[in-house]
Amino acid sequence: METITTERLIIRQFRETDAEDVFELRSDPEVNRFMPYPCDADISETRLRIGEWMEKKYRMAIELRESGKVIGDISLSPRNGDKLVELGYNLNRSFWGKGYATEAARAVIQQAVSDGIRDFMAYYAKENGASGRVLEKCGFVPEYTGQYSRDNGKEVFEAVISELHIK
């Protein structure tokens, strides 16, 4: 995906220099409360993850235009054996409630639609109503419920799976 600029954000490929900003959000237990992966224990884990993201190029940094600070990440990834593309996002807690996640998601969806993608899905923990509201504002409709767990399988979340289909 190419760089996308919105009124307040730049959505771009990750850089090695983003490690400190990314560690700030990836090490926060509250930010990662409903994520399927554990918090990063130290910045070296974050640097490895950024290297993977830079190689695969499906996950992008959400950067504030005014300061250059990376406040989150957003991804669109194809699902195996499925025509749907999965939207995912994560935002630094200091920037919650300001509309940044919705702004980034709308911009990424708009770019994907111009690239010919029409069918999207996303899921969120039922307890995470804020994430559900982001999807709702972007036009996603809840389709069914299910479960997902952290990588270690020890914690299971009840989930809402939502879809967006653009004609």
Side-chain angles (χ1 to χ4, degrees):
M1 196 177 301
E2 59 192 61
T3 298
I4 302 167
T5 302
T6 69
E7 182 181 335
R8 302 179 297 167
L9 306 171
I10 297 171
I11 301 163
R12 58 160 175 81
Q13 292 296 322
F14 275 97
R15 302 176 188 134
E16 290 175 4
T17 55
D18 297 330
E20 285 184 30
D21 288 345
V22 174
F23 181 69
E24 190 177 315
L25 75 101
R26 296 275 307 194
S27 64
D28 183 339
E30 187 61 25
V31 170
N32 287 286
R33 182 173 164 204
F34 299 112
M35 301 310 277
Y37 48 79
C39 289
D40 287 356
D42 59 55
I43 199 160
S44 65
E45 284 184 25
T46 305
R47 286 189 177 106
L48 286 171
R49 197 161 327 284
I50 288 173
E52 292 168 6
W53 295 342
M54 289 168 58
E55 187 177 307
K56 294 180 182 174
K57 298 186 186 218
Y58 69 91
R59 187 175 302 261
M60 311 265 296
I62 302 172
E63 175 186 310
L64 286 178
R65 282 180 68 178
E66 68 180 33
S67 68
K69 180 173 183 60
V70 173
I71 62 167
D73 62 78
I74 190 162
S75 63
L76 273 182
S77 46
R79 294 168 37 99
N80 292 336
D82 198 326
K83 68 176 184 166
L84 299 172
V85 174
E86 183 175 335
L87 173 69
Y89 47 87
N90 202 1
L91 209 63
N92 182 315
R93 181 174 16 160
S94 300
F95 300 92
W96 288 357
K98 297 175 177 18
Y100 292 122
T102 303
E103 185 174 333
R106 283 179 175 157
V108 166
I109 291 165
Q110 183 178 25
Q111 179 62 51
V113 168
S114 4
D115 292 343
I117 297 170
R118 299 279 187 268
D119 300 294
F120 303 86
M121 68 80 58
Y123 65 91
Y124 61 95
K126 280 185 180 180
E127 292 180 54
N128 188 359
S131 193
R133 284 188 294 283
V134 168
L135 295 174
E136 196 177 288
K137 291 175 190 175
C138 292
F140 280 78
V141 176
E143 294 290 334
Y144 55 97
T145 59
Q147 294 180 328
Y148 69 97
S149 68
R150 289 203 186 272
D151 286 338
N152 63 16
K154 293 180 182 172
E155 190 173 7
V156 176
F157 302 103
E158 295 300 315
V160 176
I161 296 86
S162 297
E163 295 182 4
L164 171 64
H165 302 281
I166 298 175
K167 305 288 180 212

